[in-house]
Amino acid sequence: MTDKVLVIAEHNSQYPAVDTLRTLQAAQSLHSDIDVMVIGYGCEAVAEALRTCQGIDRVWLADDAVYEHHLAENMAELIADVGKDYRHILAPATTFGKNLLPRVAALLDVGQLSDVVEIESADTVVRPIYAGNALCRVKSLDAIKVMTIRSSAFASVSTQGGNAQVSALEQVIKSTQSQFIERQQAQSERPQLGAARVVVSGGRGLGSKQQFQLVEQLADKLGGAIGASRAAVDAGFVSNDLQVGQTGKIVAPELYIAVGISGAIQHVAGMKDSKVIVAINSDPDAPIFQLADYGLVGDLFEIMPKLIDAL
Amino acid sequence: MKVLVAIKRVVDAYVKVRVKSDGSGVETNNVKMAINPFCEIAVEEAIRLREAGSADEVVVVSIGALACQEQLRTALALGADRAIHIETEQVPEPLSVAKLLHAVMEKEQPGLVLLGKQSIDTDNNQVAQMLAALSGRPQGTFASAVQVQGQDVMVTREIDGGLETLKLNLPAIISTDLRLNEPRYASLPNIMKAKRKPMEVLSAESLGVTLIQHQQVLEVMSPPQRRAGIVVSGVDELVDKLRNEAKVID
């Protein structure tokens, strides 16, 4: 076994996801050589983009039609086979990484460290539990440490200055038990929620899908992404992939503006590490005000248009 | 088809937990406990599959101390047919839970296994995927729609950026997301009836599983506290503070 780290790249066949670049940054704190694995179909451009990232030794490229839709069953088998020679296997704690990596860990008969926010040493990490209301320092006793990385806790690695070698992986593992049917991708011109500098989130207080446009207008004015509480998603104001919280996206932007959001434990879990938090709410006792750096109490239908105008 | 549902006893979702001062964990004494919300959704889905004629038996299983029989009884009151309690004093890690559930799968031969996508205490999001790996079966994680079609199951998954639909061969392992369904409440007559439904008690040894420690918790800490904020008087003051004090907007 080598001392190396293997990072599983998340990508869209064109370029690596920002979560991959942040996972690579986390991998750097292990102070050993880093190999990256790109699995997909027609994804040479991703391997090429990763080749020049800082600090990478080798890019493994498994490019075949069987990997087109990133199914967990055959991908996990491939990763476990390549990964058994590594000391660490890392992937971003996105739905991609969360779906895949525990399956890899079980194939290797090791545990997994989920949603790591800090790497202290080769075997000890910090991760949040109880919706982020506690932090757990945990030591892995396994020979291979499998972990998913919380993107919002790490910066991106530089995409320049590296010169890694690209090596093709020829193993073709068919997926016989699962079949991709369709994907409905939400289209948006706005910055990605997980990577945005500014996030404006709306909750039940917006009242309707039409009125949620106030959140969108403010986000656009600030060049930010939009997010939502579970209540706003369940009410149909926005699609579920914009949910911020314990079970949705975890974000830590420079500025987070919560509009008409009470601040339930589950929502707070997804945004409490934002640098500056602003809360706009009509209820002065809403728990969100205990967290906000700047709170504004009042009718958000009066406040929001004024705020959009003032920027 | 038999549906196996795994449920976990956790601290109630509305309780704000306190970290113990000795750093050994969070305070769970005299704290309200409940079925993990995602597991409740899994139980509900299993019952709906039976009501729709896709399943004929719903078996719930939970792992832990004697107290988790309380949550199994709740699941029986919601409509599950029988329960299996795997009694352990230690709290097993996800891989051990997956191994225990795999042993139950071998014994019960379910056509479908439903689990929650994560438990709200340890927030791991691992067991379903691990169980799928150990049993060599396909997985449908973070499901927001499940439809059994003959020998297959169609699963719509909540993924970053949208939704994805997969077709899985049965038996399959599915983990539930929040929007799969809205769990029902147990009625009083059903709570009474649940007391007479069968509950089998097993041990890790009886299932031939050795619980191995893969991880050691060194310390549980409180997260850093945020500095107290201020309430501003109006939009102008807010914009001024963001621009000149916090310097987060131009």
Side-chain angles (χ1 to χ4, degrees):
Chain A
M1 192 183 292
T2 67
D3 252 6
K4 283 186 158 189
V5 183
L6 181 65
V7 172
I8 313 304
E10 177 173 358
H11 62 85
N12 63 356
S13 301
Q14 313 293 317
Y15 47 85
V18 66
D19 307 282
T20 301
L21 303 177
R22 292 175 174 190
T23 303
L24 284 167
Q25 181 68 52
Q28 307 257 348
S29 38
L30 290 163
H31 305 294
S32 43
D33 286 341
I34 300 166
D35 290 356
V36 185
M37 200 166 166
V38 178
I39 310 173
Y41 185 42
C43 52
E44 272 169 66
V46 182
E48 196 49 43
L50 287 167
R51 203 181 65 77
T52 58
C53 282
Q54 202 100 66
I56 297 173
D57 206 37
R58 182 194 295 270
V59 180
W60 293 114
L61 175 62
D63 198 317
D64 193 284
V66 298
Y67 303 125
E68 183 177 5
H69 299 295
H70 296 162
L71 297 170
E73 292 79 9
N74 57 348
M75 268 178 83
E77 217 177 302
L78 178 68
I79 296 166
D81 187 42
V82 174
K84 65 182 188 299
D85 296 326
Y86 286 80
R87 195 152 70 136
H88 292 88
I89 304 175
L90 274 58
T94 54
T95 53
F96 166 86
K98 288 175 178 176
N99 183 45
L100 188 59
L101 228 54
R103 191 164 180 125
V104 174
L107 291 175
L108 293 167
D109 198 26
V110 298
Q112 182 190 284
L113 300 157
S114 294
D115 255 315
V116 168
V117 295
E118 191 186 333
I119 295 176
E120 280 188 8
S121 69
D123 61 9
T124 303
V125 303
V126 178
R127 58 175 304 267
I129 53 174
Y130 287 92
N133 285 303
L135 290 171
C136 184
R137 268 182 75 222
V138 51
K139 179 179 176 172
S140 165
L141 309 174
D142 290 315
I144 304 173
K145 284 110 176 96
V146 174
M147 49 178 104
T148 59
I149 301 297
R150 178 171 290 192
S151 307
S152 64
F154 296 90
S156 290
V157 78
S158 164
T159 53
Q160 266 136 49
N163 188 18
Q165 183 189 346
V166 178
S167 309
L169 281 171
E170 304 297 342
Q171 288 123 298
V172 172
I173 304 169
K174 293 213 167 96
S175 184
T176 52
Q177 298 180 316
S178 64
Q179 195 187 330
F180 172 84
I181 303 296
E182 63 167 349
R183 181 170 294 178
Q184 295 157 262
Q185 205 83 31
Q187 297 297 332
S188 175
E189 301 288 306
R190 297 190 180 89
Q192 255 184 292
L193 187 50
R197 203 185 66 83
V198 176
V199 174
V200 185
S201 271
R204 199 199 304 269
L206 269 305
S208 74
K209 191 172 179 162
Q210 285 69 37
Q211 286 159 339
F212 201 88
Q213 284 171 2
L214 288 168
V215 168
E216 295 170 16
Q217 287 163 17
L218 181 58
D220 291 344
K221 202 79 185 247
L222 293 165
I226 55 171
S229 69
R230 182 186 173 192
V233 174
D234 284 351
F237 300 172
V238 288
S239 64
N240 64 284
D241 59 300
L242 296 181
Q243 185 177 328
V244 171
Q246 183 180 18
T247 68
K249 290 268 190 345
I250 313 280
V251 299
E254 282 182 43
L255 174 59
Y256 188 92
I257 305 180
V259 183
I261 291 176
S262 63
I265 294 170
Q266 292 77 15
H267 182 76
V268 165
M271 45 66 82
K272 70 184 176 62
D273 294 323
S274 304
K275 196 172 148 230
V276 174
I277 297 172
V278 173
I280 301 171
N281 206 302
S282 57
D283 175 9
D285 297 324
I288 192 79
F289 286 118
Q290 291 163 22
L291 197 72
D293 299 284
Y294 304 110
L296 190 45
V297 180
D299 181 355
L300 60 93
F301 299 109
E302 280 173 27
I303 292 169
M304 289 293 280
K306 275 193 211 161
L307 181 56
I308 293 162
D309 276 349
L311 292 167
Chain B
M1 176 175 79
K2 185 191 287 183
V3 180
L4 183 69
V5 187
I7 64 168
K8 186 178 184 184
R9 172 182 164 94
V10 298
V11 170
D12 186 273
Y14 297 100
V15 171
K16 192 169 188 325
V17 295
R18 277 204 346 268
V19 173
K20 288 185 193 166
S21 53
D22 66 356
S24 64
V26 303
E27 190 55 69
T28 52
N29 281 336
N30 301 316
V31 171
K32 189 181 170 202
M33 304 296 280
I35 300 183
N36 179 46
F38 290 96
C39 303
E40 242 183 328
I41 293 169
V43 172
E44 175 67 29
E45 194 64 18
I47 294 163
R48 289 188 189 190
L49 285 170
R50 196 190 53 205
E51 285 168 350
S54 301
D56 43 37
E57 191 185 22
V58 175
V59 181
V60 283
V61 54
S62 191
I63 303 165
L66 185 67
C68 71
Q69 287 192 7
E70 192 188 325
Q71 276 63 45
L72 285 169
R73 287 285 170 212
T74 305
L76 292 171
L78 290 167
D81 298 295
R82 60 189 171 88
I84 299 171
H85 173 211
I86 303 172
E87 196 169 3
T88 65
E89 275 316 310
Q90 50 173 304
V91 182
E93 295 175 24
L95 185 59
S96 299
V97 170
K99 286 181 178 174
L100 290 167
L101 294 177
H102 182 218
V104 174
M105 263 182 90
E106 301 268 275
K107 191 166 156 325
E108 294 281 341
Q109 298 290 320
L112 187 65
V113 184
L114 289 168
L115 303 93
K117 81 164 177 182
Q118 76 191 64
S119 62
I120 59 162
D121 50 2
T122 51
D123 282 333
N124 278 312
N125 195 333
Q126 297 175 6
V127 174
Q129 296 89 317
M130 288 178 161
L131 177 60
L134 297 176
S135 59
R137 301 309 310 171
Q139 65 187 52
T141 52
F142 329 141
S144 61
V146 172
Q147 201 182 7
V148 175
Q149 293 182 344
Q151 294 307 303
D152 303 309
V153 59
M154 302 287 276
V155 181
T156 301
R157 307 179 51 231
E158 296 203 0
I159 57 168
D160 296 332
L163 294 171
E164 175 185 87
T165 305
L166 302 178
K167 184 172 159 180
L168 312 175
N169 296 358
L170 293 172
I173 317 294
I174 293 175
S175 77
T176 62
D177 215 319
L178 281 177
R179 271 165 287 277
L180 180 57
N181 60 47
E182 202 165 310
R184 69 192 69 188
Y185 292 96
S187 66
L188 188 59
N190 285 343
I191 293 170
M192 300 311 288
K193 268 186 231 160
K195 291 182 177 169
R196 292 189 300 274
K197 287 186 179 177
M199 169 111 51
E200 187 181 1
V201 182
L202 301 171
S203 65
E205 298 80 59
S206 71
L207 288 164
V209 177
T210 313
L211 303 182
I212 295 165
Q213 193 185 2
H214 293 271
Q215 290 166 7
Q216 185 187 351
V217 173
L218 302 176
E219 188 186 0
V220 174
M221 309 163 279
S222 287
Q225 290 293 313
R226 288 185 78 94
R227 189 172 45 86
I230 57 163
V231 171
V232 294
S233 60
V235 167
D236 293 337
E237 192 189 345
L238 176 63
V239 172
D240 176 63
K241 293 278 187 199
L242 291 178
R243 201 165 269 156
N244 302 315
E245 192 177 88
K247 294 187 171 48
V248 284
I249 59 172
D250 298 327

